[in-house]
Amino acid sequence: MTINRRELLGYGAAALGATVIGLPQIANAAGELTIAYNVNLPSWDPTTGPSAVNPTIQGLYQSVFDQFIPQKPDLSFAPGLLTEWGWNDDRTKIMMTVRDGVTWHDGSPFTAEDVVWSLQRAGNEKTGNPIQFVWKNVNNFKIDGNKITGDVVQFDPVYFKWMSFLTGYIMPKAYYEKVGAEGFEKAPIGTGPYMVDKFERNAFLRLKANPNYWGGKPAFENVTIKFVTDAASRVAEIESGSSQVTLEIPYEEYDRLIAKDGLAGSCKNVSDIGMIFFNDIDVMLDKNVRQAAVMAVDKKLLVDRLLRGYGQPIDTLETPEYAAYDASIKVEHNPEKAKELLAASGYSPEKPVKFTIQTTKGFKPKDYEMIQAIVGMWRKVGIEATIEVYEIAKHYELRAADKLTPAAFYNWGNAIGDPTTSTGFATYGPSPHSVWDSQDLIDMINPLWGEKDEAKRIGGWKAVDKYIAEQAYVLPLIQYAQPIVHAKGVNVVQHISGALLPALMTPA
């Protein structure tokens, strides 16, 4: 199995009433909650375009839409709109059972036809689903009551896992066909725990509880989500009481805020990692430069000093929660060896190798400061890197076009913990999510996409991770801990995917 690049390709009373300076509190009206969120929502279709593969906005999508198969906060899979799913013995067919008695936000019934239409739409390359190459692998769906079968065109071992991940959402067939893409953007509906009440792009989103939600009506009647992309502004939001929940703030601010009366927090390791893409252009084609760039970075120091001990260093694109994690794969921190490697290619601190590194600033806690520290570590061994700051949307655009600079920082999310959705997508050349295109890696990965023997598949990915570490094709940095600060009047359940879900929040 091979994959080519073309294939892959108004504030409510709660918000206003809480602006009085003072201790954070539940807003004046009962059942009101305000959240200061760290990113904007560019689009309401969770299955098409670059937004669909942005891990940081999945919590917004999951509040309005249901995925085929939901994940619990510990990332285990649970029955949702699909109550049963699986393969036949020879992996040539899939079977699914659809939940009865569910309604869309407009009151119309949810049916098996919605499921089949959503899967067919996702698998149609004309629709613009970034994960179309997965969804196209099953077709010829047949419906019998609430039972669905489908024929496997090409076996994909991760097909059902994708139903819990990016673009894995069920869309309303009749409503979408009636209003079209433009109408859906103006008035989106789903089957999720919250309904869209009001949306002002780049400003806020107001949600209203779905009284008929199949999983039970959420505790907060109204939720206002302010889009506050500046970390310092999110700190001010929570400290002033304007918002009752926020996330992704600097760790020193997290420690300071949770020590204040009226505030509490949670900071657990999540499935997100910090990494630096290497693009196979210019000086990055030199293995000595890549290996030196990796060996020069003291990841433990980054965690201990910059991140105040939150998170943990990683040496592959797998965290301990991922299926292909291999603790035996280690990459040493050795600045002296880095100098030797660079010297072999004619570089030194006096005559450094030069390239640009791109990074976000304030998107993740200490992202820019971490790159500054890494650039300082590089400088000592003979690497002179110029920092270029970009917005996360620009990263997606450049990555899809394979136009990142020789090095680029990114936050990679992998809530389903499968190696295909970490190492696979990030380093497989034909993927639009990768910028490393060497044939050796493509040839090594190709057989794993459709491997039916699970033990052999996971073993193969571990071998790929080991080879990538030896060749220094990417620079894994850390597994993130996600800081969430909230008023003590709100109970927050942290989801290991990193999605901040209002439906999991309750009044204390």
Side-chain angles (χ1 to χ4, degrees):
M1 174 180 180
T2 57
I3 303 170
N4 62 52
R5 179 173 287 272
R6 183 184 64 82
E7 283 183 313
L8 291 177
L9 277 181
Y11 291 100
L16 294 174
T19 56
V20 179
I21 298 299
L23 290 177
Q25 54 191 295
I26 295 295
N28 295 341
E32 301 269 354
L33 177 69
T34 304
I35 299 172
Y37 208 72
N38 62 325
V39 289
N40 290 306
L41 180 65
S43 167
W44 268 115
D45 188 336
T47 68
T48 62
S51 300
V53 290
N54 181 349
T56 60
I57 58 177
Q58 298 307 307
L60 301 177
Y61 287 148
Q62 288 171 32
S63 296
V64 175
F65 309 100
D66 275 311
Q67 296 185 287
F68 295 92
I69 302 170
Q71 282 179 292
K72 296 178 182 178
D74 65 358
L75 301 187
S76 60
F77 301 100
L81 294 188
L82 296 184
T83 57
E84 297 174 305
W85 58 89
W87 316 88
N88 65 348
D89 289 341
D90 64 1
R91 303 294 196 263
T92 59
K93 286 186 179 295
I94 68 165
M95 294 85 71
M96 300 174 286
T97 303
V98 177
R99 184 179 294 274
D100 289 323
V102 177
T103 58
W104 293 98
H105 291 161
D106 65 354
S108 61
F110 160 77
T111 69
E113 286 192 2
D114 293 306
V115 175
V116 169
W117 179 80
S118 295
L119 289 170
Q120 290 174 328
R121 179 174 177 265
N124 184 346
E125 64 178 13
K126 295 179 181 178
T127 303
N129 187 305
I131 313 299
Q132 179 266 345
F133 64 93
V134 169
W135 304 119
K136 71 172 186 177
N137 289 327
V138 179
N139 65 17
N140 193 29
F141 293 99
K142 291 183 173 59
I143 299 173
D144 182 8
N146 70 337
K147 304 286 186 181
I148 300 172
T149 60
D151 294 339
V152 174
V153 178
Q154 193 163 249
F155 176 71
D156 183 343
V158 197
Y159 184 79
F160 286 115
K161 287 186 178 180
W162 271 105
M163 291 189 174
S164 301
F165 199 32
L166 307 173
T167 78
Y169 296 88
I170 302 179
M171 300 281 280
K173 177 180 185 293
Y175 179 80
Y176 193 94
E177 289 179 337
K178 177 184 176 182
V179 303
E182 188 174 335
F184 192 80
E185 280 295 323
K186 292 178 180 177
I189 67 166
T191 56
Y194 281 98
M195 303 179 289
V196 176
D197 185 30
K198 189 174 183 182
F199 174 57
E200 292 287 345
R201 195 173 303 278
N202 299 320
F204 70 91
L205 164 65
R206 187 163 172 82
L207 300 172
K208 188 173 183 62
N210 177 5
N212 302 312
Y213 184 54
W214 61 267
K217 183 181 176 181
F220 285 100
E221 179 68 30
N222 298 298
V223 177
T224 300
I225 297 173
K226 299 179 183 179
F227 303 129
V228 186
T229 58
D230 177 66
S233 297
R234 291 196 298 280
V235 170
E237 280 282 326
I238 195 76
E239 195 162 18
S240 70
S242 296
S243 294
Q244 288 81 54
V245 183
T246 195
L247 74 164
E248 303 293 9
I249 60 174
Y251 294 108
E252 66 271 17
E253 292 285 27
Y254 171 81
D255 286 341
R256 181 181 69 83
L257 289 171
I258 63 172
K260 293 174 70 72
D261 289 341
L263 290 176
S266 174
C267 192
K268 295 180 180 178
N269 286 354
V270 293
S271 58
D272 287 8
I273 65 171
M275 60 176 287
I276 293 176
F277 278 103
F278 289 155
N279 198 353
D280 56 335
I281 57 173
D282 305 334
V283 296
M284 284 305 172
L285 293 170
D286 186 336
K287 181 179 178 181
N288 288 337
V289 171
R290 297 194 309 271
Q291 288 184 317
V294 173
M295 287 184 178
V297 177
D298 187 342
K299 301 171 189 177
K300 188 176 186 303
L301 187 66
L302 294 176
V303 170
D304 291 346
R305 296 280 182 86
L306 267 181
L307 308 184
R308 298 174 71 89
Y310 293 109
Q312 66 179 357
I314 54 174
D315 291 311
T316 70
L317 298 182
E318 320 283 346
T319 76
E321 293 80 9
Y322 293 7
Y325 176 72
D326 186 344
S328 71
I329 302 174
K330 298 291 183 186
V331 178
E332 64 176 330
H333 167 234
N334 191 334
E336 293 307 313
K337 177 67 173 175
K339 287 182 181 178
E340 292 173 14
L341 289 166
L342 288 169
S345 291
Y347 303 113
S348 67
E350 294 73 37
K351 185 187 174 186
V353 59
K354 299 180 180 181
F355 58 82
T356 297
I357 180 169
Q358 293 165 315
T359 182
T360 50
K361 187 174 184 179
F363 174 64
K364 294 290 285 186
K366 298 295 182 181
D367 47 5
Y368 179 73
E369 291 84 354
M370 185 156 46
I371 295 306
Q372 282 184 310
I374 289 170
V375 167
M377 295 172 187
W378 282 346
R379 188 178 299 115
K380 293 177 181 177
V381 300
I383 297 172
E384 184 179 313
T386 302
I387 299 175
E388 176 186 310
V389 175
Y390 57 10
E391 294 295 321
I392 192 63
K394 188 65 175 178
H395 169 90
Y396 291 122
E397 177 188 324
L398 294 173
R399 192 176 74 191
D402 199 358
K403 291 183 178 179
L404 291 177
T405 54
F409 173 80
Y410 180 62
N411 161 65
W412 188 278
N414 183 21
I416 58 175
D418 197 87
T420 61
T421 43
S422 54
T423 300
F425 283 7
T427 63
Y428 181 69
S431 161
H433 312 291
S434 166
V435 290
W436 191 268
D437 304 315
S438 63
Q439 194 61 44
D440 57 343
L441 205 49
I442 293 171
D443 293 341
M444 202 171 178
I445 291 175
N446 270 338
L448 299 175
W449 294 116
E451 177 57 60
K452 293 183 180 180
D453 184 317
E454 185 66 2
K456 186 176 178 182
R457 185 177 79 91
I458 296 302
W461 282 112
K462 288 182 179 181
V464 169
D465 282 325
K466 188 172 189 293
Y467 181 72
I468 289 172
E470 292 167 350
Q471 298 296 317
Y473 284 154
V474 69
L475 174 45
L477 292 171
I478 60 164
Q479 177 184 12
Y480 273 109
Q482 183 188 57
I484 299 173
V485 177
H486 56 88
K488 284 186 176 177
V490 181
N491 292 322
V492 175
V493 177
Q494 189 159 9
H495 202 288
I496 303 304
S497 70
L500 186 66
L501 300 174
L504 294 180
M505 300 177 193
T506 57

